[in-house]
Amino acid sequence: MDTEKQRMHELVSILDRAAAVYYSGEDEIMSNYEYDKLYDELVELEEKTGIVLSGSPTSKVGYETLSELPKEAHVAPMLSLSKTKDIDELADWLGAQKGLLSMKLDGLSIIITYENGVLTKALTRGNGEIGEVITNNAKTFKNLPGQIPFSGRMVLRGEALIRYSDFEELNRRESEDESVTQYKNPRNLCSGSVRQLNNEITANRRVRFYAYNLIELVGDGEGVPSLDEGSKEAELIFIKEQGFELAPYKQVDSINIRDEVAAFSKEVTESDLPSDGLVLTYDDIAYSKSLGRTAKAPRDSIALKWQDETAETTLIDIEWSASRTGLINPVAIFEPVELEGTTVQRASVHNVSILKELELGTGDRITVYKANMIIPQIESNLTKSGTCEPPSVCPVCGSKTELVNENGSTVLMCPNKECYAKQIRSLIHFVSRDAMNIDGLSEATLEKWIQGGFIRSCVDIFDLAKHKDTIISDDTMKIREKSFENLQNAIEAAKDASLPNVIFALGIKGIGLATAKDIVKEYPSMTLPGFLDIKRDELLKVNGIGENLADSVIDYVSNEKNKALVRELDGILRVSVPVISDDSGAFSGKTFVITGSLNTFANRGECKDRIEALGGHVASAVSANTDYLVNNDIMSTSSKNKKAKSLGIPIITEDELVEMMGM
């Protein structure tokens, strides 16, 4: 008994630490799989011993509210759900009842209140009893109605989240913004965004809200459902009529539930919405109310956690990836395996604490899976040799590394402020597609050329020709004459640059390509050296730029080293001002996704510029908000074509697009 109680104390401590970090929106110290495994172990020990320790996560909901946001009690406790990974158990739970099976969205639970048709309050889950007031932030959610037809009081619960496509776009466009890139997944970025003290930051993060049930409804009117009787689907229909988007759901019974679970399991792998399972609830409201609740969970709903597909493989190595913030992250490299229909051979280990807990070593037999069918993770280590140690020096600059405690986890840091990693990341950003668009300069190549002294700043890229003989004669460079010529052609082509792309390429904190375009749109006569003279009050007139971003730009253009760099670039580049996007153009309000090869346009960038010049928007992934998928191979069985067809989105050829443009 003493050994079991000691283990229970250990588990409570570990799980509490993991939950505190997870719910505060910081980076995880363990995967969902590992958390669930430890949680299940604790439940088994509690059932075996009959003891539930004070503070056990099995009797608590959510996190303690520790930020500076105001706190307020919920009108009703925000409970958690009982969970299973067994589809048969799910079917048995439903029995002869009819139910609603919905996608369990992986974001931040929010309670929203409307009075007299107007949004008046938004609260986070908090500790389940008391939440944080985020009303001002909620008003910036992209799809949340500011006013609704219902004139009474309505309180509803839903999930705030950031879609995968928006997360990828934010990371791509704001790649120099540490406030975005510190987050490894949409869920963490959403949590960090929703709980900001400055709602300008929330507004820029593309947070959306998906409703899934009513909590309180006071007021009369045609079609207003009862919360004491009738069906929960009628509630959802009413919510949708008020202008809210819903978590995807399907009607189920004992006959079709297994088929619908299978359908959802396929859908989630292509969905733009982060999901970590399914939720099943009884459709009959009166029956649901008769069941009551436990201390932690309602009895009318249950969650199905995805039964992750796992595979056994061999660990080849641990790579240590240095970032421009100084953090050095371990990444597991293993023999390729097939998971959820794709080949996987890399997985983040997150930090040194997890590396040690897994006792990883080269040659170990490990099992891997995709968390939520998306993110590769290590499940367990079967051989546990424990031979992998953190490097004593930074893999980029060779400085002595430091082990640092962050949020209870051990992480590896490079303290060298002049570490090449920052230089490499800046150069990768400079040559990226939406910046200078220079093909052929990979991270590995840039690293070698920095270490070889050929590149010290982005300006040196345009002077690589003088190092041609040295580079192609060095076997370690693995660059042959033809490849070098192709690179030189790409560099020469990059000299014909658009001003917004050049501004974006400078890597100013928080300034993505969209913001750079907004600056040029506001000041169409601006030149590259003229950008150095821009004033703070001028920046504040630009759509989407607040005080923080304005300060970021002024800090950059006030730095003498940066001024010298911009002037050097001005002497090298042939900078043009693009056609300004027309908000009333033919494509105003339309969203396009471009895939496959193009014929009329030189590349996707040119096609994208033309669409944006007509007022349209180009996204990276197909979603419900996409208006057209551009693909010359309409009969393709690619995932984007399949997604577009399933959503009823038109797939058009490049010729059809050109015709729509009037070209």
Side-chain angles (χ1 to χ4, degrees):
M1 176 71 81
D2 288 343
T3 303
E4 290 166 339
K5 284 180 63 178
Q6 182 179 351
R7 177 57 178 164
M8 288 165 67
H9 279 288
E10 290 175 357
L11 290 169
V12 168
S13 176
I14 294 169
L15 292 169
D16 273 358
R17 181 160 54 90
V21 172
Y22 177 84
Y23 282 113
S24 66
E26 299 166 15
D27 204 9
E28 298 103 328
I29 61 175
M30 66 174 65
S31 67
N32 286 342
Y33 188 97
E34 292 164 311
Y35 182 93
D36 289 344
K37 197 160 98 173
L38 295 177
Y39 186 95
D40 292 344
E41 182 185 350
L42 179 59
V43 170
E44 288 179 10
L45 287 171
E46 288 177 348
E47 291 175 350
K48 181 179 179 181
T49 63
I51 298 170
V52 178
L53 298 174
S54 175
S56 170
T58 64
S59 60
K60 292 197 302 183
V61 180
Y63 62 94
E64 294 301 319
T65 53
L66 301 175
S67 80
E68 299 174 35
L69 291 166
K71 316 296 190 299
E72 189 171 315
H74 294 299
V75 296
M78 289 186 74
L79 303 176
S80 185
L81 294 176
S82 300
K83 299 176 180 66
T84 181
K85 288 191 175 183
D86 189 332
I87 297 176
D88 289 334
E89 184 178 339
L90 199 70
D92 291 343
W93 182 91
L94 182 61
Q97 291 288 324
K98 293 187 181 297
L100 299 180
L101 186 68
S102 62
M103 195 180 286
K104 186 173 182 291
L105 301 178
D106 191 18
L108 192 69
S109 293
I110 303 290
I111 296 284
I112 302 282
T113 300
Y114 283 77
E115 297 189 68
N116 299 318
V118 178
L119 172 64
T120 58
K121 189 186 303 177
L123 295 176
T124 66
R125 170 187 279 182
N127 64 7
E129 299 287 340
I130 298 173
E132 294 162 314
V133 181
I134 57 157
T135 311
N136 286 336
N137 292 345
K139 289 177 180 178
T140 72
F141 291 176
K142 293 297 182 185
N143 64 340
L144 190 65
Q147 187 164 346
I148 61 174
F150 183 64
S151 59
R153 172 180 167 85
M154 183 171 77
V155 183
L156 69 162
R157 181 172 176 175
E159 202 81 358
L161 59 80
I162 294 174
R163 302 177 305 181
Y164 283 121
S165 58
D166 287 329
F167 180 71
E168 292 166 3
E169 186 80 359
L170 283 165
N171 271 289
R172 184 168 63 84
R173 292 192 173 190
E174 316 295 343
S175 60
E176 290 301 306
D177 183 355
E178 292 179 14
S179 66
V180 171
T181 56
Q182 65 176 304
Y183 298 102
K184 286 191 172 67
N185 57 56
R187 197 266 171 212
N188 282 12
L189 177 58
C190 179
S191 182
S193 302
V194 165
R195 300 168 69 238
Q196 290 286 334
L197 298 178
N198 178 0
N199 72 346
E200 179 190 355
I201 297 174
T202 310
N204 291 330
R205 299 284 181 78
R206 307 183 185 182
V207 179
R208 295 172 182 271
F209 178 82
Y210 293 83
Y212 47 78
N213 73 278
L214 285 171
I215 294 174
E216 187 177 325
L217 196 63
V218 181
D220 299 321
E222 186 177 345
V224 176
S226 167
L227 300 190
D228 295 315
E229 58 186 18
S231 75
K232 290 194 177 177
E233 186 172 29
E235 286 186 14
L236 293 179
I237 293 171
F238 175 76
I239 291 171
K240 188 174 183 180
E241 288 172 347
Q242 302 307 306
F244 297 91
E245 290 191 58
L246 303 176
Y249 77 92
K250 299 175 183 179
Q251 286 186 322
V252 292
D253 54 29
S254 59
I255 297 173
N256 72 345
I257 185 168
R258 289 175 178 81
D259 290 338
E260 295 296 1
V261 169
F264 261 126
S265 70
K266 293 179 181 177
E267 183 178 330
V268 74
T269 60
E270 296 185 349
S271 175
D272 205 19
L273 305 179
S275 168
D276 57 354
L278 300 174
V279 174
L280 177 61
T281 186
Y282 295 120
D283 190 39
D284 188 322
I285 293 175
Y287 180 73
S288 293
K289 283 188 170 293
S290 72
L291 299 174
R293 46 167 278 196
T294 66
K296 186 182 179 184
R299 290 195 173 96
D300 70 336
S301 300
I302 187 172
L304 175 74
K305 298 285 283 185
W306 294 121
Q307 189 71 266
D308 300 298
E309 179 185 346
T310 61
E312 186 176 325
T313 184
T314 300
L315 182 68
I316 298 173
D317 195 10
I318 295 290
E319 283 186 0
W320 294 86
S321 176
S323 72
R324 59 189 179 81
T325 63
L327 191 66
I328 305 175
N329 301 308
V331 179
I333 312 299
F334 43 82
E335 293 288 348
V337 290
E338 289 289 320
L339 285 175
E340 311 292 352
T342 61
T343 301
V344 177
Q345 55 188 11
R346 299 169 65 90
S348 172
V349 187
H350 299 299
N351 55 50
V352 176
S353 291
I354 293 177
L355 180 84
K356 294 297 185 184
E357 287 171 14
L358 289 169
E359 299 180 59
L360 293 174
T362 302
D364 280 349
R365 293 296 291 172
I366 59 174
T367 57
V368 294
Y369 70 104
K370 278 189 177 179
N372 302 336
M373 302 191 202
I374 302 291
I375 305 168
Q377 301 278 353
I378 296 178
E379 175 197 355
S380 61
N381 185 358
L382 306 177
T383 47
K384 297 186 176 182
S385 68
T387 57
C388 286
E389 293 290 337
S392 58
V393 296
C394 173
V396 176
C397 70
S399 299
K400 185 175 176 59
T401 56
E402 295 178 357
L403 291 172
V404 178
N405 186 290
E406 285 192 356
N407 303 311
S409 295
T410 302
V411 299
L412 190 67
M413 299 289 295
C414 173
N416 178 14
K417 293 181 180 179
E418 302 299 322
C419 179
Y420 291 147
K422 183 172 184 179
Q423 197 173 0
I424 290 169
R425 299 301 177 205
S426 297
L427 287 168
I428 290 169
H429 172 76
F430 184 82
V431 304
S432 64
R433 184 180 62 186
D434 283 345
M436 300 308 296
N437 192 25
I438 303 175
D439 269 340
L441 281 176
S442 67
E443 180 174 350
T445 300
L446 285 168
E447 184 173 345
K448 287 177 182 177
W449 288 356
I450 289 171
Q451 292 174 341
F454 305 129
I455 297 178
R456 290 182 174 84
S457 80
C458 58
V459 171
D460 295 328
I461 291 173
F462 299 98
D463 203 21
L464 279 171
K466 69 182 182 182
H467 301 294
K468 175 182 176 181
D469 292 340
T470 304
I471 289 172
I472 63 177
S473 64
D474 187 339
D475 288 339
T476 64
M477 297 290 177
K478 296 183 178 178
I479 301 289
R480 296 295 172 256
E481 186 163 0
K482 182 61 177 175
S483 298
F484 192 86
E485 287 176 5
N486 291 338
L487 175 59
Q488 282 301 115
N489 290 336
I491 291 171
E492 185 61 32
K495 290 180 181 179
D496 291 306
S498 175
L499 181 56
N501 298 84
V502 178
I503 293 173
F504 174 58
L506 297 176
I508 303 170
K509 184 177 180 181
I511 302 300
L513 180 57
T515 306
K517 286 181 177 179
D518 286 336
I519 293 172
V520 176
K521 181 179 178 181
E522 185 71 25
Y523 302 104
S525 61
M526 180 185 289
T527 61
L528 181 55
F531 176 67
L532 295 174
D533 299 324
I534 197 165
K535 302 296 188 290
R536 190 175 188 275
D537 59 342
E538 293 174 331
L539 286 163
L540 292 173
K541 294 177 183 178
V542 177
N543 179 44
I545 291 188
E547 294 188 1
N548 290 340
L549 285 182
D551 288 341
S552 180
V553 175
I554 296 303
D555 285 346
Y556 183 91
V557 299
S558 300
N559 182 286
E560 291 300 325
K561 186 177 178 181
N562 293 336
K563 286 182 180 179
L565 173 66
V566 171
R567 289 180 182 127
E568 281 190 86
L569 287 172
D570 185 56
I572 295 169
L573 305 176
R574 298 177 287 269
V575 181
S576 61
V577 177
V579 177
I580 302 302
S581 174
D582 182 1
D583 292 336
S584 61
F587 290 167
S588 178
K590 301 296 184 184
T591 297
F592 294 77
V593 173
I594 307 167
T595 189
S597 59
L598 297 174
N599 302 317
T600 303
F601 297 97
N603 51 49
R604 291 186 193 177
E606 184 183 331
C607 182
K608 178 181 176 183
D609 288 344
R610 183 60 185 164
I611 289 172
E612 291 179 345
L614 292 170
H617 169 68
V618 177
S620 59
V622 175
S623 71
N625 293 322
T626 304
D627 293 290
Y628 297 98
L629 172 63
V630 181
N631 189 351
N632 282 324
D633 185 1
I634 290 181
M635 303 308 294
S636 167
T637 57
S638 69
S639 60
K640 286 183 179 177
N641 270 36
K642 288 179 180 177
K643 184 73 176 290
K645 288 175 181 177
S646 70
L647 294 173
I649 294 166
I651 303 173
I652 61 174
T653 64
E654 186 181 2
D655 288 342
E656 289 173 303
L657 175 66
V658 168
E659 185 177 345
M660 291 167 65
M661 291 176 171
M663 292 173 61

